[in-house]
């Protein structure tokens, strides 16, 4: 057995290199051809049923509006019922023929079963499932006193999508529907203080890549990996080490720094377009995909950069990090942050 592994250690790298040199050009030409066809013959969602979790704000809210403009029927899910009803009314005004509101917490398996059942009872079908619900956490690993507080991050971001998908799969298979899952560029970027959030998004990526194999051609899966997009997360809302949700814009400035924050409306439009084309992956804004290549080919540089820019000196608060000082330069926030995230006011019931 050891001889076999030694042989493969010698042979596998050059074989892979030369195989890829021969295989990749025709493969990418074929993919370009398929991409062109899918753009021309993109799916129409008019009259189809779309279930969106985390629809009361941010990307989920604007996904509801984008699907509504295209004539889709909507089942909107969130914990905040009053905010959800406001979104539902906006979706109706934009052209959705039928919208229902389901108050639910996706971290609870019974709620996930119920929200799928209520959607099916009302519409009798399901065509798109959008797993969007998520919460952020900002805390250095060693600063977490009771580490069990962070179960909520994994329960919402990961298990919420998994539970809902499990109950929706039989109906999506019948309609040959699609799953859109909101992972994040954080799934590959090792940004400090967001280890639990990053892990939950990486788990989503791996889970739904595996489901793409298991579910085969019956159900299409689009995995979305956004960068920084205007939402409550980039307003500074996050889960603290005490297990509470709070809005801290100074800490937000540390984490986002001078990265430009993308438009939520543009992001939602790109996601729906991508899902209708049947894309496997989408990174929005598109330039943020380059961070993946930096991480893949130069991980030491990425790690060193984060350590240098995002961590303050020993005993200093996070707000002393260079990343915060950069965004505090005169005019920086107006240049890179939309006005919507420059206020600490978030939606409440």
């Amino acid at each position: 057995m050891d001889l076999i592994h030694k042989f493969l250690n010698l042979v596998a790298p050059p074989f892979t290199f030369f195989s890829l040199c021969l295989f990749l050009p025709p493969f990418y030409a074929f993919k370009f051809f398929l991409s062109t066809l899918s753009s021309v013959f993109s799916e129409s969602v008019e009259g189809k049923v779309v279930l969106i979790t985390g629809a009361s704000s941010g990307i989920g809210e604007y996904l509801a509006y984008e699907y509504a403009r295209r004539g889709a029927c909507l089942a909107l899910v969130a914990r905040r019922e009053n905010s959800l009803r406001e979104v539902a009314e906006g979706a109706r005004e934009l052209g959705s023929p039928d919208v229902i509101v389901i108050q639910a917490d996706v971290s609870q398996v019974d709620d996930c079963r119920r929200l799928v059942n209520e959607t099916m009872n009302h519409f009798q079908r399901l065509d798109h499932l959008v797993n969007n619900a998520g919460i952020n956490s900002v805390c250095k690993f060693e600063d977490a006193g009771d580490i069990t507080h962070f179960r909520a991050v994994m329960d919402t971001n990961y298990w919420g999508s998994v539970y809902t998908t499990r109950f929706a799969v039989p109906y999506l298979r019948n309609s040959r529907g699609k799953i859109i899952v909101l992972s994040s560029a954080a799934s590959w970027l090792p940004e400090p203080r967001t280890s639990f959030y990053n892990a939950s998004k990486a788990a989503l990526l791996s889970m739904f890549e595996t489901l793409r194999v298991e579910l085969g051609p019956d159900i299409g899966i689009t995995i979305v990996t956004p960068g920084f997009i205007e939402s409550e997360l980039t307003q500074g809302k996050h889960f603290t080490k005490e297990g509470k949700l709070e809005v801290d814009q100074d800490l937000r400035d540390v984490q986002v720094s001078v990265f430009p924050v993308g438009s939520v409306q543009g992001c939602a439009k790109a996601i729906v377009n991508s899902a209708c084309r049947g894309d496997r992956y989408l990174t929005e804004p598109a330039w943020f995909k380059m961070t993946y290549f930096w991480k893949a080919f130069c991980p030491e540089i990425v790690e060193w950069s984060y350590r240098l820019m995002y961590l303050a000196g020993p005993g200093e608060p996070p707000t002393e990090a260079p990343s915060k000082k950069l965004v505090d330069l005169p005019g920086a926030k107006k240049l890179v942050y939309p006005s919507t995230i420059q206020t600490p006011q978030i939606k409440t019931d």
Side-chain angles (χ1 to χ4, degrees):
M1 185 62 70
D2 287 343
L3 286 175
I4 294 174
H5 285 295
K6 288 179 180 178
F7 173 76
L8 291 174
N9 288 341
L10 290 172
V11 172
F15 174 79
T16 300
F17 176 76
F18 288 111
S19 297
L20 289 176
C21 287
L22 293 172
F23 174 72
L24 285 181
F27 176 67
Y28 276 102
F30 179 65
K31 284 187 66 174
F32 177 76
F33 172 72
L34 289 182
S35 176
T36 303
L37 281 182
S38 62
S39 296
V40 173
F41 300 103
S42 183
E43 176 189 6
S44 170
V45 294
E46 185 174 0
K48 292 188 176 180
V49 177
V50 181
L51 192 163
I52 305 173
T53 66
S56 62
S57 66
I59 295 175
E61 175 182 353
Y62 279 83
L63 283 170
Y65 298 153
E66 186 62 32
Y67 273 111
R69 289 186 183 95
R70 303 179 189 216
C73 301
L74 301 174
L76 304 180
V77 179
R79 289 177 295 183
R80 296 175 296 187
E81 187 173 7
N82 290 342
S83 297
L84 201 57
R85 293 193 181 281
E86 292 175 7
V87 175
E89 185 57 34
R92 292 186 187 98
E93 291 175 359
L94 287 169
S96 179
D98 194 1
V99 186
I100 63 169
V101 166
I102 306 171
Q103 183 182 26
D105 180 352
V106 297
S107 68
Q108 304 298 314
V109 65
D110 290 337
D111 278 17
C112 293
R113 181 186 291 108
R114 175 174 58 82
L115 68 89
V116 172
N117 287 341
E118 287 190 24
T119 301
M120 290 303 301
N121 290 339
H122 184 86
F123 294 110
Q124 306 302 311
R125 64 177 295 163
L126 178 60
D127 297 283
H128 283 203
L129 167 63
V130 183
N131 289 308
N132 168 74
I135 56 174
N136 191 18
S137 63
V138 182
C139 174
K140 286 179 68 176
F141 184 77
E142 287 185 305
D143 292 342
D146 185 354
I147 204 167
T148 61
H149 286 324
F150 293 93
R151 286 178 179 169
V153 177
M154 187 64 77
D155 287 344
T156 299
N157 295 3
Y158 175 72
W159 284 112
S161 294
V162 173
Y163 294 151
T164 308
T165 299
R166 178 61 189 89
F167 298 124
V169 157
Y171 309 114
L172 290 169
R173 193 183 292 277
N174 287 341
S175 65
R176 297 187 69 84
K178 292 176 178 173
I179 298 170
I180 299 90
V181 58
L182 273 289
S183 179
S184 171
S187 61
W188 64 72
L189 287 174
E191 184 177 15
R193 300 186 192 87
T194 56
S195 54
F196 297 99
Y197 177 79
N198 298 352
S200 69
K201 294 300 185 176
L204 272 181
L205 183 66
S206 182
M207 166 62 81
F208 283 87
E209 285 180 332
T210 306
L211 289 185
R212 188 185 283 136
V213 178
E214 292 186 5
L215 299 176
D218 292 345
I219 301 174
I221 296 179
T222 298
I223 300 173
V224 185
T225 50
F228 293 113
I229 302 295
E230 59 177 325
S231 67
E232 290 185 347
L233 272 64
T234 48
Q235 273 184 278
K237 183 179 178 181
H238 66 275
F239 212 70
T240 69
K241 62 183 179 181
E242 290 83 15
K244 299 178 181 178
L245 283 171
E246 70 173 24
V247 179
D248 185 336
Q249 295 209 308
D250 286 332
L251 196 52
R252 181 277 313 274
D253 292 349
V254 176
Q255 298 302 120
V256 178
S257 189
V258 290
F259 277 99
V261 176
S263 156
V264 66
Q265 186 171 357
C267 179
K269 184 175 181 179
I271 291 171
V272 179
N273 284 340
S274 185
C276 291
R277 288 193 303 265
D279 293 347
R280 294 163 56 83
Y281 298 97
L282 172 71
T283 300
E284 184 63 27
W287 68 265
F288 218 87
K289 193 184 301 182
M290 296 304 104
T291 63
Y292 175 82
F293 294 105
W294 278 99
K295 174 63 170 62
F297 294 108
C298 310
E300 297 88 352
I301 292 177
V302 173
E303 292 163 13
W304 176 82
S305 300
Y306 271 129
R307 192 176 297 116
L308 174 68
M309 296 302 298
Y310 286 75
L311 295 178
E316 293 182 335
T319 50
E320 290 301 310
S323 58
K324 165 68 171 167
K325 295 176 181 178
L326 279 176
V327 80
D328 283 340
L329 292 173
K333 283 188 183 179
K334 289 185 178 180
L335 183 64
V336 296
Y337 290 178
S339 59
T340 54
I341 69 165
Q342 294 185 38
T343 168
Q345 301 302 316
I346 62 171
K347 284 186 174 183
T348 63
D349 283 336

